[in-house]
């Protein structure tokens, strides 16, 4: 996990990892780090794995770009590396930010019409990074070529949608945001008399729940500070259907103090 995290921070979208047969879960944690920084991940298929736990855990995250037998991984690695070398990040990113702004809006409109979900309010950097990655994975030569591919390929629409929902998260993930919550927002809420002594929090896009628990921790600590007894409820939801019910359920908590 430590190696994958270091690789991701150093190489960004040029990082490529292969999660192979083992009995632990570090490969899954490392895979999340790779995907958070826009890299590519291959997982070994369970049929060819001597120990199936690690590839199974990695596959269950939905973050793998390829699931292959071990002997097929080197060829895919070479193919991806060659394609990454042919088209620069700057070329694609500049095309999406500047000349391709209209193309990007068409891509998001097409995604909305085919899936029913609107990503136009996502942060520009997130949308560009995810679309840029799909352009590279689809081996398209430009944003315009990728738009044409989307129009003709329901499979690519589905893959882009899934990439937009990559559930990479961690506890207190955005330090500046959580510092502001802890210092300003949470104390203000906890310091105000709450009607019926209830506090309800909704965390949309919760992924596997780390953000929901992080927010609950902030409230729990401040309620202890002010010695306030309330009924604290944290609701967490996610539209990603790849999140199994038992994985999502632990992100929904209720605490009575």
């Amino acid at each position: 996990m430590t190696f994958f995290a270091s690789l991701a921070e150093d190489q960004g979208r040029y990082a490529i990892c292969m999660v192979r047969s083992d009995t632990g879960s570090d490969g899954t944690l490392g895979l999340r780090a790779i995907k958070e920084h826009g890299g590519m991940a291959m997982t070994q298929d369970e049929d060819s794995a001597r120990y199936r736990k690690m590839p199974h855990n990695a596959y269950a995250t939905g973050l793998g770009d390829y699931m292959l037998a071990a002997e097929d991984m080197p060829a895919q690695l070479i193919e991806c590396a060659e394609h990454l070398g042919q088209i620069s990040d700057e070329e694609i990113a500049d095309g999406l930010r500047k000349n391709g702004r209209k193309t990007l809006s068409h891509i998001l409109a097409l995604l909305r019409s085919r899936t029913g979900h609107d990503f136009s309010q996502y942060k520009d950097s997130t949308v560009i990074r995810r679309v840029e990655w799909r352009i590279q994975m689809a081996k398209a030569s430009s944003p315009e070529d990728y738009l044409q591919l989307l129009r003709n390929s329901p499979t690519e629409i589905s893959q882009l949608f899934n990439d937009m929902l990559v559930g990479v998260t961690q506890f207190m993930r955005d330090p500046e945001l959580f510092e502001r919550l802890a210092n300003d927002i949470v104390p203000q809420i906890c310091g105000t008399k709450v009607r019926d002594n209830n506090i309800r929090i909704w965390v949309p896009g919760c992924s596997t729940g780390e953000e929901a628990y992080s927010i609950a921790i902030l409230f729990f600590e401040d309620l202890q500070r002010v010695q306030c007894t309330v009924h604290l409820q944290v609701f967490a939801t996610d539209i990603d259907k790849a999140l199994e019910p038992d994985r999502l359920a632990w992100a929904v908590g209720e605490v009575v103090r």
Side-chain angles (χ1 to χ4, degrees):
M1 186 274 181
T2 302
F3 171 72
F4 279 172
S6 297
L7 178 67
E9 291 178 4
D10 183 63
Q11 293 296 316
R13 68 176 53 260
Y14 289 103
I16 300 176
C17 76
M18 294 183 285
V19 180
R20 297 186 57 191
S21 175
D22 202 343
T23 59
S25 61
D26 280 0
T28 302
L29 299 176
L31 184 150
R32 289 187 179 277
I34 293 288
K35 295 301 295 182
E36 183 175 10
H37 289 80
M40 190 269 279
M42 288 186 277
T43 60
Q44 184 175 0
D45 63 26
E46 295 184 52
D47 293 337
S48 67
R50 182 179 180 184
Y51 302 106
R52 297 187 174 189
K53 185 175 181 179
M54 184 180 285
H56 173 78
N57 290 341
Y59 177 75
T61 66
L63 299 178
D65 297 297
Y66 299 98
M67 174 173 272
L68 304 167
E71 59 269 23
D72 296 329
M73 287 182 170
Q76 187 62 63
L77 174 64
I78 293 172
E79 181 180 343
C80 289
E82 288 178 344
H83 183 69
L84 285 172
Q86 292 173 358
I87 303 177
S88 69
D89 289 346
E90 291 76 12
E91 180 181 347
I92 295 176
D94 286 347
L96 289 172
R97 291 188 181 96
K98 300 174 183 177
N99 301 328
R101 177 62 65 177
K102 184 177 181 180
T103 302
L104 182 60
S105 66
H106 286 325
I107 289 174
L108 295 180
L110 184 60
L111 192 61
R112 181 178 66 247
S113 68
R114 300 288 178 85
T115 68
H117 295 289
D118 184 2
F119 293 93
S120 62
Q121 299 303 310
Y122 266 38
K123 290 192 298 185
D124 278 358
S125 59
T126 299
V127 172
I128 290 173
R129 184 168 62 249
R130 299 286 163 80
V131 173
E132 178 186 356
W133 173 243
R134 285 312 313 168
I135 290 175
Q136 293 183 350
M137 291 295 292
K139 299 181 177 60
S141 59
S142 68
E144 291 75 20
D145 287 344
Y146 183 67
L147 175 59
Q148 189 60 41
L149 173 63
L150 282 175
R151 287 170 173 159
N152 299 320
S153 174
T155 299
E156 184 57 35
I157 285 283
S158 177
Q159 290 175 327
L160 175 59
F161 176 69
N162 289 334
D163 271 10
M164 287 288 193
L165 299 178
V166 170
V168 176
T169 186
Q170 63 188 41
F171 287 95
M172 309 294 180
R173 183 183 180 192
D174 188 333
E176 292 184 2
L177 173 61
F178 276 96
E179 184 177 358
R180 183 181 177 192
L181 282 172
N183 294 335
D184 301 327
I185 309 301
V186 173
Q188 181 178 354
I189 295 175
C190 293
T192 303
K193 181 176 176 57
V194 182
R195 183 179 181 182
D196 298 326
N197 289 328
N198 286 329
I199 295 179
R200 295 184 179 91
I201 305 162
W202 175 38
V203 181
C206 67
S207 185
T208 48
E210 284 86 339
E211 182 179 356
Y213 273 108
S214 296
I215 293 176
I217 288 170
L218 296 184
F219 273 93
F220 206 64
E221 290 178 343
D222 205 72
L223 288 171
Q224 288 182 320
R225 179 184 64 81
V226 298
Q227 297 182 343
C228 179
T229 300
V230 301
H231 189 192
L232 171 65
Q233 294 177 296
V234 180
F235 302 92
T237 60
D238 200 292
I239 65 172
D240 189 352
K241 294 181 180 179
L243 289 171
E244 299 170 2
D246 60 334
R247 292 176 61 209
L248 183 57
W250 74 266
V252 181
E254 181 174 313
V255 179
V256 179
R257 295 195 67 253

